[in-house]
Amino acid sequence: MNPTKKIVVLGAGVAGVTTAIGLKKLGFDVTIIYKNRPFRAYEGLSQKTKDGFSLLDCKNCFSQLNTQSVRNSNWAEMNSKVNYEYVVCRDDFDMALLQDAKEHNISLIRGNILGKIDFQDKVSVKYKSENIKNTFIADFVVDARGRFTPYKSEYKHGPKSFSILQELELDSMSQSKTSIDTVENGWVWQAYVGENRGYIQFTCDEELAKKIESFEDVKPFLENQGIDLWSLKNHKLKGSLVKRDSYCKVHKTIVTDKMILVGDSASSIDPLSGNGVFQSLSMSSIAPYVINTILNREENKEIAIEFYKKRVNYIFEKFSKVGKDFYSLEKRFKTNFWIKRQTYPLNTIQDESIKIENYAIVRDGFIEPKEVVITKDNPLGIYFLGNIEIVELVKYCLNNSVEKALNFFDNFCEKKSLSLDSRIFLKKWLLNQSII
């Protein structure tokens, strides 16, 4: 449907590649311009994130997540083996992403973006590849350059955190493992990922991060915190210390009629909860339909733009609150690091009433306007419960007596030929939500 429409994706991380695959499936001519990751990093991913790669048809990424590490949590004096996580080297994971892109016949250009993007009738992106300057002309641009995107002043953000990262060479261990510990001015994540490879990350506030220039600057501080620094026993430093921002922030615009931001370019969250990659997949699973609507359904363009903005802001607010809940568990420390994060974001009063609102849904590859049911658990609205269209049913039940609502429910189920299990499931939901 879209072979003549060109889309350029800037960045080949999780958000960029998965968005590109979604666009390719919709028939667009897609090219990714990317550069290699500037430093070596490791990250823990959850089972739901692994499932997300399967759903988005990223077979090589999925196959990377085959060994789980035991995750020990020593957070706020609560010691436990919380769960398991898949620890990946992001360099290796980036190669898997590129392979997934190639297998979906997406064009790849390794190069650096030069200057600002020019938005005229077409989108013009200047880049340098193999020492040759070029210009790529497209109908639309997807910015997936992560935290390194150039729009530094265009974000709303929480307290500024920075992560100090150091790769390590360790003695061989019998099992891959990770741990997380709270300390006076931050928290520490350690990982052993096999083959004598280890990693330590210290997350602190901006003031402390400015004082750290080498691992020798941070090591004495960590050694005085009374935590088990198992990754620093018989260790050797590997590579250089890396310092990067890791605070939560959300872009003020997010999407226009010529550009969309995905992943950390649009919104990045505190890495504490381990949901960064999952958040990227949440955006990239919907962004192709938003773009398809902007380019091919003029009458619904603004609806699609508002739909995406609302979704990204909701995800940002949700995970910011998750971070606050985690930080609030720590009662021992009264330093600025903990106080700031225990009070951000500010509490807001939620409207918990059930209502019907004009919003939008995804249907047949597009965003289209529809009435949806707004609930406390579904503030973005739902149109289907399972495979059942529920707006007509909810609207009637909200506006009529219990007796009439129950009669309407029975007729509704007969009309839809719902199975007994579906009827029980639907009725239970209506009662739990106080719709009936």
Side-chain angles (χ1 to χ4, degrees):
M1 182 174 62
N2 298 296
T4 62
K5 294 185 177 178
K6 290 189 175 183
I7 298 180
V8 59
V9 179
L10 309 182
V14 170
V17 170
T18 53
T19 300
I21 290 172
L23 289 166
K24 192 70 177 181
K25 289 180 177 180
L26 291 173
F28 288 102
D29 181 346
V30 187
T31 298
I32 297 175
I33 302 176
Y34 73 99
K35 62 180 181 180
N36 291 338
R37 188 175 295 274
F39 58 87
R40 196 171 180 86
Y42 292 82
E43 188 165 355
L45 306 181
S46 65
Q47 180 63 46
K48 66 180 179 180
T49 302
K50 179 178 180 178
D51 296 339
F53 284 112
S54 179
L55 290 172
L56 293 174
D57 202 18
C58 294
K59 297 175 183 177
N60 291 283
C61 289
F62 183 84
S63 66
Q64 287 267 318
L65 306 177
N66 53 20
T67 302
Q68 288 186 315
S69 300
V70 178
R71 184 174 186 264
N72 291 286
S73 175
N74 307 298
W75 190 271
E77 294 190 304
M78 295 183 292
N79 304 323
S80 62
K81 288 184 179 179
V82 175
N83 51 30
Y84 294 84
E85 60 184 340
Y86 297 95
V87 180
V88 297
C89 172
R90 289 305 298 266
D91 285 358
D92 297 338
F93 208 65
D94 288 346
M95 294 301 294
L97 284 164
L98 290 173
Q99 188 59 37
D100 280 321
K102 289 176 184 176
E103 291 178 7
H104 284 88
N105 297 314
I106 294 167
S107 300
L108 297 170
I109 298 173
R110 188 170 140 189
N112 294 318
I113 306 302
L114 304 175
K116 295 182 178 179
I117 302 167
D118 184 17
F119 298 97
Q120 298 297 325
D121 290 337
K122 297 280 188 177
V123 176
S124 178
V125 179
K126 294 180 180 178
Y127 67 96
K128 186 177 182 179
S129 178
E130 297 180 351
N131 292 320
I132 299 174
K133 293 182 179 180
N134 293 285
T135 300
F136 194 96
I137 305 299
D139 295 283
F140 199 89
V141 60
V142 177
D143 193 313
R145 287 178 282 180
R147 290 182 180 269
F148 300 101
T149 196
Y151 316 114
K152 297 294 184 185
S153 63
E154 300 176 29
Y155 291 89
K156 298 178 289 183
H157 61 82
K160 287 193 174 182
S161 300
F162 285 78
S163 290
I164 313 301
L165 323 173
Q166 180 64 59
E167 190 175 10
L168 306 167
E169 183 178 323
L170 305 177
D171 290 342
S172 180
M173 298 183 186
S174 60
Q175 183 181 12
S176 295
K177 67 175 183 176
T178 66
S179 66
I180 187 169
D181 295 83
T182 54
V183 296
E184 184 178 10
N185 286 294
W187 52 273
V188 180
W189 184 70
Q190 302 174 84
Y192 176 73
V193 295
E195 298 178 350
N196 301 99
R197 295 181 299 165
Y199 194 69
I200 188 168
Q201 172 180 305
F202 173 49
T203 296
C204 59
D205 63 19
E206 185 176 26
E207 183 180 359
L208 180 54
K210 286 180 178 178
K211 299 176 183 178
I212 298 171
E213 297 299 331
S214 69
F215 191 68
E216 295 307 314
D217 294 332
V218 71
K219 186 179 175 184
F221 172 81
L222 296 179
E223 289 175 336
N224 289 328
Q225 296 303 308
I227 62 174
D228 181 11
L229 291 170
W230 53 266
S231 66
L232 299 185
K233 295 173 183 175
N234 300 321
H235 75 282
K236 293 181 182 178
L237 300 185
K238 190 174 181 181
S240 302
L241 184 83
V242 174
K243 188 192 306 183
R244 68 177 180 89
D245 75 70
S246 56
Y247 52 92
C248 53
K249 56 187 177 182
V250 62
H251 196 269
K252 296 174 184 176
T253 303
I254 301 173
V255 57
T256 70
D257 61 354
K258 291 188 181 297
M259 181 175 76
I260 194 169
L261 277 63
V262 295
D264 283 349
S265 291
S267 166
S268 52
I269 57 175
D270 191 308
L272 170 64
S273 57
N275 281 311
V277 173
F278 183 75
Q279 179 186 242
S280 292
L281 295 180
S282 297
M283 292 185 218
S284 63
S285 65
I286 206 75
Y289 307 121
V290 174
I291 297 166
N292 197 25
T293 306
I294 291 171
L295 294 179
N296 292 307
R297 294 280 174 88
E298 177 70 25
E299 69 276 16
N300 289 336
K301 179 174 68 176
E302 293 303 322
I303 291 170
I305 288 173
E306 288 305 311
F307 177 87
Y308 187 70
K309 284 183 180 180
K310 190 172 183 179
R311 188 181 183 93
V312 171
N313 277 293
Y314 169 73
I315 294 170
F316 174 75
E317 291 167 7
K318 176 182 177 180
F319 285 116
S320 293
K321 290 174 183 175
V322 169
K324 179 181 179 178
D325 290 342
F326 270 105
Y327 284 115
S328 294
L329 293 172
E330 179 56 81
K331 307 296 185 184
R332 294 173 298 168
F333 307 123
K334 304 300 179 183
T335 56
N336 283 336
F337 177 88
W338 291 98
I339 292 171
K340 287 180 181 179
R341 287 151 187 82
Q342 289 166 354
T343 53
Y344 176 86
L346 295 175
N347 291 328
T348 55
I349 299 174
Q350 277 190 308
D351 181 1
E352 297 184 0
S353 60
I354 309 294
K355 51 194 171 183
I356 308 294
E357 286 191 358
N358 291 316
Y359 189 34
I361 64 169
V362 179
R363 174 174 279 179
D364 299 328
F366 295 96
I367 309 298
E368 65 176 48
K370 279 288 182 184
E371 286 187 325
V372 296
V373 180
I374 306 294
T375 73
K376 175 187 175 182
D377 298 327
N378 296 281
L380 293 179
I382 52 174
Y383 185 77
F384 292 98
L385 187 66
N387 294 318
I388 308 166
E389 295 182 12
I390 61 168
V391 175
E392 175 192 4
L393 173 62
V394 172
K395 187 183 291 186
Y396 186 90
C397 292
L398 288 175
N399 293 311
N400 288 277
S401 66
V402 173
E403 183 179 358
K404 286 185 176 180
L406 290 172
N407 287 333
F408 187 87
F409 173 81
D410 290 336
N411 292 332
F412 177 88
C413 291
E414 288 294 331
K415 184 178 177 181
K416 299 288 186 181
S417 300
L418 298 184
S419 67
L420 179 60
D421 287 344
S422 294
R423 293 184 188 208
I424 294 171
F425 168 72
L426 180 56
K427 191 171 187 178
K428 185 177 180 180
W429 181 82
L430 291 168
L431 292 170
N432 287 340
Q433 297 293 330
S434 299
I435 294 170
I436 293 181

